[in-house]
Amino acid sequence: MRRFEAIAEHLHALHQAARADGLRIKRVIFESTYIPKLYATRRGAFIRASIRFMQTRPWIRHDEHYHMDFDMPCKRH
């Protein structure tokens, strides 16, 4: 379970850092069967309230890694 605690802490830290820069996490692509394990961590309530997970099935397995999309404007030159 320590690995899910670490992932939860990582998601929390990235959320905080994004907010400090005026950004937000748009979504996280993560194996859906593992999401309840994140909810069971110390940061579970935060994750449930603040992190949006991809709702559709990913095109490749995400059971050994995860992706994060940030909602940030694209600067045009």
Side-chain angles (χ1 to χ4, degrees):
M1 191 65 160
R2 286 192 312 220
R3 76 190 102 175
F4 293 103
E5 288 288 344
I7 292 169
E9 289 298 325
H10 185 228
L11 293 175
H12 181 263
L14 287 171
H15 173 83
Q16 298 293 80
R19 288 290 188 193
D21 286 336
L23 304 172
R24 71 177 186 88
I25 296 171
K26 184 175 183 178
R27 70 177 172 185
V28 175
I29 304 171
F30 191 63
E31 175 60 42
S32 61
T33 58
Y34 294 156
I35 294 171
K37 293 181 183 279
L38 292 175
Y39 292 159
T41 65
R42 184 174 72 90
R43 298 282 188 192
F46 159 80
I47 289 173
R48 189 180 295 274
S50 304
I51 302 295
R52 182 173 175 217
F53 291 95
M54 183 174 170
Q55 298 300 307
T56 58
R57 186 170 180 87
W59 49 98
I60 60 170
R61 288 178 46 200
H62 284 79
D63 56 353
E64 78 285 351
H65 69 287
Y66 51 97
H67 293 271
M68 197 161 308
D69 292 334
F70 291 91
D71 189 14
M72 51 194 295
C74 179
K75 292 185 179 180
R76 300 206 185 263
H77 297 139

